[in-house]
Amino acid sequence: DSAAWEYLEPKRFGESMMVFCKVTAFGKSRTAQLPVMDFRNQAIPNPNAYQVNTAMQRCLAKAISLHPTRFAGFAALPTIHPEKAADELDRCVSELGMKGAMIHGLTNGEWIDDKKFWPIFERAEALDPANSRIHNNVGNVYRSLGRLSEAEVRYSRALLEDPAYGRSYFNRAMVRVMLGHYDAALADANMAVALQPSASSPLTVRGNIRLLTGDASGALRDHNRALELMPEFGVILENRSCVFVQRGWLAHAALDIE
């Protein structure tokens, strides 16, 4: 049986506002409502957007409690104010029982990996220090900033928590290539391929590493297999053309480039 939920339009409640969340499960709909209140449970006159959002999250938690086996909640965070967003994430997870938060990649034209947003990720890590996905994502942020050694540490921490997390092997392999640690990168790429046998990206990365270490035959095998998984994918064709060039097969390289 399907289940659904939705926020309803907030309404004026005297000088304050009332928020609503409707849940539907087992063919029946129920609506939770909550006034916008302060920590003393007093209605807030003329609440701002942040206060309304906070009340809506409390209302969502109240609505989830009507059907706790059918719903789980993710918080909406005011990322324009990173410190407040971090506090709101903490409150929603610790007090309201939500599973985490969903955030967009851009906030007022700024990417979420900008240093100003780090308090959000730091709080997420503190709330769930054993979460391999969090460590992997923080590693991605460090990598995008060129802080490769710190990224390597984060990917290693992710793998400590989840040794079967193929994505972190893949990411650490790329970082280790950039650090010039080719043998370690190849070992990581081998693990990524073993854990994600139907993915083309680990094969492509391993092929590139093999080419760097002088194993052109192995590189060609990897790129050919990657193309079987994703035919005509331009990046793989471009990488394979580099193998052809190294082996002197310029006609084959020209076909890939075309």
Side-chain angles (χ1 to χ4, degrees), residues 145-202:
L145 295 171
R147 297 166 62 173
L148 302 181
S149 295
E150 291 168 280
E152 184 182 21
V153 168
R154 287 296 182 163
Y155 296 138
S156 297
R157 179 66 186 276
L159 291 168
L160 182 65
E161 302 296 344
D162 183 0
Y165 191 19
R167 173 56 60 175
S168 283
Y169 280 112
F170 171 79
N171 289 332
R172 191 171 68 175
M174 292 195 294
V175 165
R176 285 177 165 175
V177 167
M178 290 185 277
L179 289 169
H181 304 158
Y182 297 140
D183 290 342
L186 183 57
D188 279 347
N190 286 335
M191 287 297 299
V193 170
L195 292 167
Q196 300 173 290
S198 60
S200 63
S201 296

Side-chain angles (χ1 to χ4, degrees), residues 232-243:
E232 304 302 321
F233 186 47
V235 172
I236 303 174
L237 289 168
E238 181 180 335
N239 289 326
R240 189 174 69 173
S241 73
C242 294
V243 181

